[in-house]
Structures are given as structure tokens and as C-alpha cells.
Amino acid sequence: MAFYSKDVDPVFYGAGAKPGLEIWCIEKLRLVPVPKSPIGIFYSGSAYVVLSTSVLKCGPTQHDIHYWLGNDANEVDSALASDKALELDAALGSCAVQYREVQGQETEKFLSYFKPCIIPVEGVFTTQEGASNGDTYQVTLLTCKGDHVAHVKEVPFSRSSLNHNDVFILDTASKIFLFCGCNSSIQERAKALEVVQYIKENKHSGKCEVATIEDGKLVGDSDVGEFWSLFGGYAPIPRDSALGGPQQVDRPVTLFWISLQGKLSQIGSDSLEKDMLEKNKCYMLDCGAEVFVWMGRNTLITERKTSISAAEDFLRKQERSNGTHLTFLTEGLETSIFKSYFNSWPQTAETKLYDEGREKVAAIFKHQGYEVKELPEEDVQSYINCRGTLKVWRVNCHELSLLPASEQTKLYSGDCYIVQYTYPGTERDESLFYAWLGQGSVLEDRADAVFHMDAIVDSARGDPVMAQIAQNKEPLQFFLIFQTLIVYKGGISAGYKKFIAETGVDDDTYDEKKTALFRIQGTGPENMQAIQVDHVSSSLNSSYCYILQSGTSIFTWIGNLTSSKDHDLLDRMIELINPAWQPISVREGSEPDSFWSSLGGKTEYPREKEMKKFIEDPHLFKFTCTEGDFKVKEIYSFTQDDLTTEDVLVLDCHKEIYVWIGRHSTIKSKQEALNLGLKFLQTNILEEELFLEAPIYVVTEGHEPPFFTCFFEWDPSKANMHGNSFERKLATLKGKTSSGTAPSRNALKPRSRDATPDGLRSRSSSSNGWERSFSPASTVSGSHLKFSDNYSISSPTPVARKLFTGSSPYQDSPVVEPSSPSTNENSHQIDANETSANSLIYPYQRLTVSSTEPVSGIDVTKREAYLSEEEFAEKIGMPKGAFYKLPKWRQNKLKMAVDLF
């Protein structure tokens, strides 16, 4: 909340105290508040200041300041709006990011505040009442661009304004026409319908007709004839020119120091370090399509005003496009895009300015009698019924072994497991699958775990949710369904034992006769774990309790920072691990010598209180694919309506991510979705501490679990609507029902339960080890990531859609037995014939998935076929003829090992 100061405009007093939008406009050289209704109306002859205040789930209130400049606003008003935005930031404790918004080129963040759009109006804003445009309804033609936010612009009411690429809205006194260019996307048409609905309700009081006009449709519809008659009759729309507008020129990223006099001095280009930014100076970072002004926390407001003016003058003199976005950042509030232009920006090098400002503002609030809440306890609520049925399989030599009920809460860190949890849903039982990858498990077992989970889920009823998780990065939901879990060191799978034998490393698999140290963690009886850690004193932590097993002696160690709740969990775990134990209770600081000798001697260990970090609110991103490269775009102020059925989206919850697959998207397998999730983790888009081992959930439209829908104001009826996004919006607009039981996503997949196991989808695993690629779901190429409005990442490994059959996961075992070679002899022979007929030969380096010079125009599912006979035998380890006699899954596994799949 803005607090009193003699340097602050009184109109800002109390600003930011409540979540939502506050808008002011420059009128007669002073700032006046704009009425909240009608929201989204901006006059092109005026300049505005907009404050967005949001209360995060955990942590401080967040402020974003925008100053909007109409195309016809004069320079004086524009400059005053810029100064007032900086003044408002100072009043809020310099904890806001500021953005310059130019009419027609607004940022998507700004547009997201105004659902469904903003509509610029000719003229100047005035607080005087009684102004009227007369009784004659003004016919207007609007162009509407964008899929998740709408860029609405009035264009001349003329046939020449129409084109084949965009969506247009013709607003008349009695009817609103929506004209859809033949090249416009379904999502753009659906978003334009939201604008039509807005116009109908706000300009026509809901009393007008709506007609949709398809580009190229000339006869058979009276609405079509009426539409073209308004333009004087039909005439063909000319083809669009190749260049749709001014092309963005690639510019080197350049850093300038801004002097006190507003002079720019270049100090670096492209390869930039954070150390170049000094606390008592201001800088400008020119990235071409966007420009940032960075203001050190020790700079004065006068210096900041000079810097902002210098940046605006720079853009003006360079004749930059109005589409060049200008953002102003105070030290400590850097956006992820800004940080991405620097080499290795420190993650937690210093306290955020936000936190410092929060302390100051909290002190002011307390002084004025406001209640200031501390950081809340971690939310341990389960959004699903945790009294369901649990089944656990261990991965062992490409097969799955079902664990007996008494053993399914005991996992080994050297093994991998598939977990199926079935729980009562709203209308039917729902299933949730996890592939748990032990920290010390071998790569082959990890690949098998993900492969088998994906195959089981594809054959299951109800399109269940699946997730890939790693030991020590488990989501809370995983622990809640187990309730009690013990994780031992070592492993008992054949893959782990083989690894031990081949490498000669010590086998640390848990044995009651060996020394073992367990860390006890959790929040209560329905969420508690005992994790075996290295039996050395450095594994201790004052925030936890431990169990030390050394021969016949059992110690319980109680850290000085633990609570009675932790002590209760310790007692319960003793009973679970071995009820016959008679432990010796030891408090930190009073340990006997025998305790330390069991741990190899006393050394230093963490003694500080483990501080909980603020967990930011989730972010939603959309994947788009263009010519093999994927781009990621953030969707701001997201709602359930942003889950459009044609899209693939990622919900980044910081500790875990969800890949959401729309029913009409191009993604046809959950393993492909896992690939995208891993790609997303690798890009580190938000420049956060999000590890490659973060849990990745795959969720399909119409089957969203409660622990996903809790991030939205969820309306179940919207999740079960038929048709594409345009058809759904049109049905809603015309008051028709398009909801019902959504077809299973499995219905969209060409799959047969009678197919042979050789039809299983390929497994993917990185050949370069755990550190390079956590997920066995994908082999990842290390491409450079460029940030702009879209975040570019390389294309994931193609996943060929195959057929699957095998025993159902609803039976005791999902193990799929390999079929005999004769069953698939014909399919193998076909592959061999195709390969022998291939006369194109390319070098191995150009055929790999991660190649920097990839060959175009080849069948990417048969990269190996383009190798010479000699290079094929060298890389694969056998001749082509022998290779194509192998089962498909074995072929794919060999190809993945050499980065050919």
C-alpha cells in the first residue's frame, strides 16, 4: 500500500492496499482516478497509469505498474504519465516492475488484466459528465488478433481492410458479424467470440443478433449476403503480401551505462555478467524487440527519471517500432527474461529487494494498526481420497514384479518402481500412476520404468494421470498416498546387482547386520517417511530426528530444532521398522562416544533452522511448434478458459510441473508429453531453482485430478464440452448446450488391446548419464535458448505412435511378455526391405537427434537406415540384417543408446 510522503501525489494514497486494478488518467496536467466501469475503455488521446496488485499464495503482495500511451496523446501527458508511474513505484517502496505500453502494441501481461480485451476509443478522457456522441449508432470494423489475449484494433470500415489471415468484428446497430479469415486459427476465432460477447453485453445490453461469416462462403446463408451488402456487395479479397508487416531486425544484446546527465555509454555486448551492474548506477539493456532499464537500489528517484527519459529518447532517435517493449526494473526485481541475457545469474546470492521492502512496509502497517501475517505453514492438504488401493511393481530385467502388500511401502534407492493408486472419484474410480526412479538406480531400469508406465497407462481405463518422479524430489501427493514410507539404500533388482558386480563398488544395500542411519521426516501419522542416508555424522541435521542402527545397538537422535510432532513421528517409525527394537534416546549435544564411533567420528553438520522459502504462484505456459522447433509462451492472469482444447500447456508450480494435453492437440502420447515436460525443465524459463528431477505430471483434458484443478476456479462442465474451442464458445454465445460426457482421449488414439508387444512405443534414454538428462523419456539436445515474448527450445525426440497390448493394470501384474519372432516376422522383413532399398547415405553426426547440422527430408523414425554399412556396424554393433530381425523395442533401445532415436 502506498504510504504518505510529501513527495507522493495524494491521488496515490492507499494505492495497492487491495488486490485488483487501479487506473488513473492524465487530465489537464494532473492525475485523476478512472471509474472502474466500464473497464477496458482507453481513449487514444490520453495517457494512463495502471496499477495491478495481486496477493500471492505465499509471500508478499506483488505490484506491476504500467503507463499506457494513446497514439494521439501529446508529449507532455506522455512524459507526465512516465514520471507518475515512477512516483507510484517509490510510494510502494520501490517494489514494482514498470512497463511502458503503447496503443496497439501492448504487452500480453497488460492485456491479460482486461478480459476479454481493451478497446481504444477516439478522443480524450474527461471526468465531466454529460458528454454524448449522439443517438446514431456508429458502425465499426475491428480486427482481433491473439489466442489467449486479444489485440483489438479499429480499422477503416472498408472491404480493403479485410484479409485472409485475421479475424474481424463488424459491429452494427442490430447485428454483430464475425468474419473469420480462412488462414486464421481456431483459437483466434474462439477468442474473438469472447470479444463479440463483450460488445453484445456492453454496447447492445445483450439485445442483438450474432452472425459468423466464413471466408470464401458466398451463397446459402442470408447472413453472408447481409454482411457483404454492408460493404457494397461481394468482391474477392486480394491475397496477402508475403511480408505481413515490418520485419524485426536482429540486434546484438548491448548494455549501456546511463550517466546522471542521461548520456548512454556502451559497456558490454552479448556476453554479459551480473557484476557489470553497480548498485549506485542505472543501465539500459537493448535487446532489440525489448529494452530494459535497470536501476540500482542506491539510486535516487531523480536519477531514475533521467534514465527513463534517456531510454525513451534513445528509442525515438533510433526510430524503433512502437512494438519495442520498454520495461523498468529496480535491483532485486529482475524478470526471468532480463536475467536470461546474462551469464549465470546467481540464484540466491542476496536477499531480494522485495523482501527488504516488505519488512519496511510491514513495520508501517503495524504502526498504523494493520495485522501483518507471517509466512504460513506448508499446506499438507490432500485433494484426493488417500484411503484407496495401492499397488507397487519393481522393475527387474525389463519385467515388473508385483510387491506383496507388506512390502509395498519399502523402496530401495537402487531400484525403480511403478506405483498405481486407485481412489474413489466423483463419478467413478480414478487411477494415478507414478514411475519412481531411485537415486542410485541404473539408466536401463529408469528407461524400463517410464516405458512400462506409459504402456500400462495407455491400456488403462479412464485415461489416468501419470507422473515421473525422482527420489528426494517426490511431490507431497506421493507421500500422502503411501502415508508411511521407508526408503532403504542399495537395491535388489538384477540391474542394480549387475552394476555393482561390473563396477566393483561396495554394495550398500540395507542389511540388519550393517550400520544404518535413517532420517525421519513428515508432517503427521498420514505423511511420514524414514529415509536411509549415509551413516556419517555429516548426514545429521538439527531440524530432524534420526534412527541409528549399529549392530545390536539402536539409537534415536533428537535434533535441538525438532518439535514434539517430530518426536511422535520418531516413535511411530521405530514401531514400523522393527517393533522389537529397544532404542537408546540421545539428544543433540549429549551423545555418547559409541554413537559417534558408529558414524565414523564426529564432524560438522547443519545446525541452522531450515527456513521455508516463499513459493511463488504457479505460471502457465503454452507450447507451440513451428518447423520442428518448439516455443514456450507464458499466459498471464490465467483461468480455466485458457486451457484450450487445441493446445499443450505446462503449469509450472515451482516444485512440480503439469503437462496438460488438450483433446484436439497434436500430441498423441503421454510419453511425448513427458518429453516436452523435460524440455521445459531444461530451459529453466523462470530462472528459478527448478531441477531436472522435478516431478512431471501428464494430465489430459476431461480427466484433470483435483490436485491440478485446485490451481483454478474450476467449472467441471467446461471440461466436458464437445467440439473445438471455437465451436464451444459459439454454442455458449448462442445459448446452446455443448457439454456432456467427454470422450476418452484413448478414443483419439489408434490402439488395439490385441496388438503384439512389439508394437510397444519406443523407450528413450539419454546416453550421457544422470547429470545430463534426468528423464529416460527423452534424449535431449543442448540447443541455445533465446528469450523474447516467446521462449524458443529445440524440438523433442519424435515418438512414433505404436500399438500396445498386455495384461491390464487392473489385474495383478502389468507385465508384457515378448512375443515370438514369428509373430512379427512380416513387419521386420518390411523394415529390412525398406532399408536395403534406401540409396541415401549420410554421416552419423548429421543423423543424430542432437545434431547441429541435421539432415532434412528423412524419415526420423528410421535415422539408422541412412548410415553406411560400415558406420552402422560400428555404432549399432551388428549388421543391418541382424538388427532388423530384433523386436522393435530392442531396435529402439539400441538406437537411443547412440542418439538415433
Side-chain angles (χ1 to χ4, degrees):
M1 180 179 75
F3 47 85
Y4 175 81
S5 169
K6 63 179 181 179
D7 297 324
V8 174
D9 191 322
V11 77
F12 289 143
Y13 291 168
K18 296 180 180 179
L21 288 180
E22 295 171 79
I23 306 175
W24 300 268
C25 185
I26 305 295
E27 182 185 25
K28 298 178 181 178
L29 300 181
R30 65 186 182 91
L31 209 59
V32 296
V34 175
K36 293 185 178 180
S37 182
I39 198 164
I41 301 297
F42 287 79
Y43 287 85
S44 60
S46 297
Y48 294 77
V49 175
V50 177
L51 171 64
S52 170
T53 302
S54 55
V55 178
L56 304 183
K57 185 176 181 181
C58 295
T61 300
Q62 179 173 302
H63 301 293
D64 289 289
I65 299 172
H66 306 254
Y67 63 96
W68 186 90
L69 308 177
N71 288 337
D72 301 324
N74 60 55
E75 291 186 11
V76 175
D77 286 354
S78 299
L80 184 56
S82 174
D83 289 346
K84 288 297 181 181
L86 184 59
E87 189 177 310
L88 175 58
D89 177 43
L92 292 168
S94 294
C95 9
V97 178
Q98 302 168 61
Y99 305 84
R100 184 187 71 159
E101 307 287 350
V102 178
Q103 180 181 339
Q105 302 294 338
E106 296 88 354
T107 62
E108 295 206 352
K109 186 180 186 72
F110 180 76
L111 292 175
S112 72
Y113 303 147
F114 307 95
K115 298 294 179 73
C117 64
I118 67 170
I119 300 180
V121 178
E122 294 286 334
V124 178
F125 172 82
T126 177
T127 53
Q128 296 179 359
E129 298 181 1
S132 175
N133 292 325
D135 297 329
T136 303
Y137 194 89
Q138 186 70 37
V139 177
T140 55
L141 181 64
L142 306 171
T143 179
C144 188
K145 299 182 180 182
D147 46 10
H148 288 274
V149 295
H151 295 262
V152 178
K153 177 184 178 183
E154 184 175 352
V155 294
F157 177 29
S158 168
R159 186 190 296 111
S160 61
S161 295
L162 303 175
N163 62 56
H164 297 294
N165 295 328
D166 297 326
V167 181
F168 295 84
I169 298 170
L170 180 61
D171 180 19
T172 71
S174 59
K175 186 178 289 188
I176 304 174
F177 296 88
L178 179 71
F179 175 84
C180 301
C182 58
N183 296 329
S184 61
S185 69
I186 292 174
Q187 296 97 313
E188 283 185 311
R189 299 178 187 188
K191 179 56 65 173
L193 278 176
E194 294 182 20
V195 179
V196 169
Q197 179 75 29
Y198 175 82
I199 294 173
K200 177 180 178 180
E201 294 176 354
N202 289 275
K203 294 184 68 176
H204 298 267
S205 301
K207 300 176 181 178
C208 76
E209 296 181 45
V210 174
T212 57
I213 309 299
E214 294 182 25
D215 186 5
K217 184 175 182 181
L218 305 179
V219 294
D221 192 328
S222 60
D223 288 331
V224 174
E226 184 179 354
F227 174 79
W228 287 113
S229 68
L230 294 170
F231 291 93
Y234 173 78
I237 299 174
R239 290 182 177 274
D240 300 303
S241 60
L243 296 177
Q247 301 300 301
Q248 184 66 47
V249 179
D250 288 335
R251 302 175 186 272
V253 177
T254 308
L255 183 65
F256 298 87
W257 167 57
I258 307 175
S259 71
L260 297 178
Q261 293 74 37
K263 181 180 178 181
L264 300 179
S265 302
Q266 182 175 332
I267 62 171
S269 181
D270 287 331
S271 182
L272 304 175
E273 301 291 341
K274 182 185 180 295
D275 293 341
M276 293 178 173
L277 305 176
E278 299 181 25
K279 299 177 182 295
N280 60 344
K281 294 181 180 179
C282 294
Y283 299 84
M284 186 184 80
L285 183 68
D286 181 10
C287 308
E290 53 195 343
V291 173
F292 299 90
V293 173
W294 184 91
M295 301 170 288
R297 67 176 66 178
N298 294 340
T299 55
L300 301 175
I301 190 169
T302 53
E303 297 175 62
R304 299 182 182 189
K305 284 185 178 181
T306 300
S307 299
I308 292 173
S309 298
E312 292 173 334
D313 290 341
F314 172 82
L315 296 181
R316 196 177 301 114
K317 290 176 181 178
Q318 292 237 331
E319 297 182 348
R320 293 286 182 90
S321 162
N322 283 339
T324 303
H325 292 145
L326 188 53
T327 305
F328 310 102
L329 307 166
T330 302
E331 180 184 3
L333 297 174
E334 297 85 0
T335 63
S336 56
I337 299 178
F338 177 83
K339 290 187 286 188
S340 71
Y341 290 111
F342 291 79
N343 299 327
S344 61
W345 189 280
Q347 293 283 356
T348 55
E350 54 189 74
T351 305
K352 274 192 173 183
L353 180 62
Y354 222 151
D355 297 334
E356 294 182 0
R358 178 175 178 266
E359 294 176 3
K360 297 177 183 177
V361 174
I364 295 171
F365 278 11
K366 287 182 178 179
H367 180 71
Q368 296 179 354
Y370 289 91
E371 180 183 359
V372 179
K373 295 182 179 179
E374 299 300 327
L375 181 64
E377 291 292 323
E378 182 179 5
D379 183 10
V380 294
Q381 175 184 1
S382 175
Y383 293 94
I384 63 174
N385 187 318
C386 290
R387 299 290 182 181
T389 304
L390 186 68
K391 289 184 179 181
V392 182
W393 292 268
R394 179 185 294 110
V395 176
N396 194 18
C397 285
H398 310 307
E399 297 181 353
L400 301 180
S401 303
L402 180 66
L403 302 186
S406 60
E407 297 295 317
Q408 63 187 10
T409 59
K410 301 173 183 178
L411 309 182
Y412 286 83
S413 62
D415 296 338
C416 295
Y417 299 83
I418 293 176
V419 176
Q420 177 189 356
Y421 180 69
T422 305
Y423 61 96
T426 305
E427 298 178 353
R428 60 182 182 273
D429 282 354
E430 303 286 355
S431 287
L432 170 61
F433 285 87
Y434 288 99
W436 186 87
L437 312 182
Q439 190 174 31
S441 59
V442 297
L443 188 61
E444 191 171 22
D445 282 353
R446 298 172 202 158
D448 285 341
V450 175
F451 167 71
H452 281 300
M453 176 183 66
D454 183 49
I456 297 167
V457 168
D458 267 1
S459 70
R461 299 187 298 268
D463 213 359
V465 175
M466 78 177 197
Q468 172 181 298
I469 62 175
Q471 182 184 351
N472 297 329
K473 293 293 185 291
E474 297 91 346
L476 176 62
Q477 188 62 61
F478 179 80
F479 288 141
L480 290 175
I481 63 176
F482 272 90
Q483 298 190 15
T484 300
L485 182 64
I486 304 172
V487 179
Y488 296 108
K489 293 181 74 67
I492 56 179
S493 67
Y496 178 81
K497 295 299 183 185
K498 180 182 177 183
F499 170 78
I500 292 296
E502 291 178 348
T503 59
V505 300
D506 292 336
D507 186 356
D508 58 358
T509 301
Y510 173 75
D511 187 329
E512 290 186 357
K513 300 176 181 178
K514 297 180 181 179
T515 301
L517 181 65
F518 294 89
R519 183 182 69 243
I520 309 303
Q521 62 187 37
T523 58
E526 297 182 346
N527 171 30
M528 57 181 185
Q529 303 87 43
I531 312 297
Q532 187 178 357
V533 295
D534 293 338
H535 52 276
V536 292
S537 56
S538 59
S539 296
L540 299 175
N541 188 310
S542 298
S543 297
Y544 294 97
C545 294
Y546 291 79
I547 299 172
L548 175 61
Q549 176 187 353
S550 180
T552 58
S553 300
I554 305 296
F555 296 94
T556 57
W557 186 85
I558 301 174
N560 285 335
L561 300 178
T562 56
S563 65
S564 57
K565 176 191 68 177
D566 299 317
H567 307 161
D568 179 60
L569 295 181
L570 178 63
D571 294 339
R572 290 175 181 270
M573 291 306 300
I574 284 285
E575 286 290 322
L576 286 169
I577 296 176
N578 191 334
W581 279 350
Q582 297 294 323
I584 302 169
S585 181
V586 174
R587 283 199 165 271
E588 181 180 2
S590 59
E591 301 88 349
D593 291 340
S594 57
F595 176 86
W596 293 119
S597 62
S598 297
L599 296 178
K602 184 177 181 179
T603 59
E604 287 300 314
Y605 58 85
R607 301 172 187 267
E608 301 293 327
K609 178 70 174 178
E610 285 197 341
M611 301 300 294
K612 294 179 181 178
K613 296 181 179 179
F614 286 118
I615 301 299
E616 295 185 24
D617 281 15
H619 294 252
L620 186 66
F621 296 88
K622 173 187 173 181
F623 277 113
T624 57
C625 178
T626 306
E627 297 180 355
D629 285 335
F630 279 83
K631 292 184 178 180
V632 183
K633 181 178 73 174
E634 183 165 6
I635 299 171
Y636 299 97
S637 308
F638 65 85
T639 65
Q640 183 184 353
D641 290 336
D642 287 305
L643 301 177
T644 47
T645 186
E646 294 81 17
D647 290 337
V648 177
L649 303 165
V650 172
L651 184 68
D652 181 356
C653 300
H654 304 280
K655 287 186 176 181
E656 58 201 22
I657 68 169
Y658 296 83
V659 180
W660 182 90
I661 310 172
R663 198 175 297 128
H664 290 81
S665 73
T666 58
I667 300 298
K668 299 305 179 186
S669 76
K670 286 188 169 71
Q671 184 171 347
E672 192 174 354
L674 276 179
N675 291 346
L676 293 177
L678 179 61
K679 287 286 187 181
F680 180 86
L681 292 177
Q682 286 186 314
T683 62
N684 194 19
I685 287 173
L686 294 176
E687 295 291 320
E688 59 185 346
E689 296 182 39
L690 189 61
F691 299 97
L692 290 180
E693 299 91 343
I696 304 174
Y697 285 92
V698 177
V699 177
T700 52
E701 181 184 6
H703 299 273
E704 296 87 352
F707 51 87
F708 173 84
T709 61
C710 66
F711 296 106
F712 303 82
E713 292 184 5
W714 195 258
D715 180 354
S717 64
K718 291 182 179 180
N720 292 323
M721 296 183 74
H722 295 306
N724 60 38
S725 54
F726 176 75
E727 293 166 342
R728 297 178 187 186
K729 292 283 174 63
L730 186 60
T732 302
L733 180 64
K734 295 191 173 183
K736 298 179 181 179
T737 302
S738 68
S739 61
T741 303
S744 168
R745 184 172 181 80
N746 291 336
L748 303 176
K749 298 183 287 190
R751 176 176 55 79
S752 168
R753 287 180 179 270
D754 298 324
T756 62
D758 279 346
L760 286 171
R761 265 192 319 282
S762 61
R763 282 174 287 184
S764 300
S765 60
S766 172
S767 60
N768 51 9
W770 178 266
E771 287 77 13
R772 284 288 297 160
S773 176
F774 151 71
S775 171
S778 171
T779 298
V780 181
S781 60
S783 62
H784 178 66
L785 175 67
K786 287 188 177 179
F787 285 79
S788 60
D789 287 339
N790 293 329
Y791 309 89
S792 262
I793 59 178
S794 60
S795 171
T797 305
V799 180
R801 186 62 194 165
K802 304 292 182 181
L803 303 178
F804 169 80
T805 191
S807 54
S808 167
Y810 297 91
Q811 300 171 4
D812 286 342
S813 173
V815 177
V816 180
E817 296 295 338
S819 59
S820 63
S822 60
T823 306
N824 291 285
E825 183 177 355
N826 293 336
S827 63
H828 294 159
Q829 188 62 43
I830 290 171
D831 285 341
N833 289 338
E834 287 177 354
T835 305
S836 61
N838 175 40
S839 60
L840 298 175
I841 301 297
Y842 297 101
Y844 168 76
Q845 290 80 2
R846 296 194 62 194
L847 291 171
T848 60
V849 174
S850 56
S851 174
T852 56
E853 298 182 12
V855 180
S856 59
I858 64 171
D859 184 349
V860 295
T861 66
K862 291 182 170 54
R863 296 174 187 269
E864 79 289 347
Y866 300 92
L867 291 170
S868 66
E869 293 288 348
E870 296 77 11
E871 203 163 19
F872 187 98
E874 176 189 347
K875 298 297 181 183
I876 302 295
M878 64 183 70
K880 287 186 178 181
F883 174 80
Y884 287 112
K885 291 179 181 179
L886 298 173
K888 273 288 186 183
W889 69 266
R890 182 63 178 165
Q891 294 178 23
N892 292 333
K893 188 171 182 180
L894 290 171
K895 289 193 292 184
M896 286 181 283
V898 291
D899 201 23
L900 289 174
F901 195 92

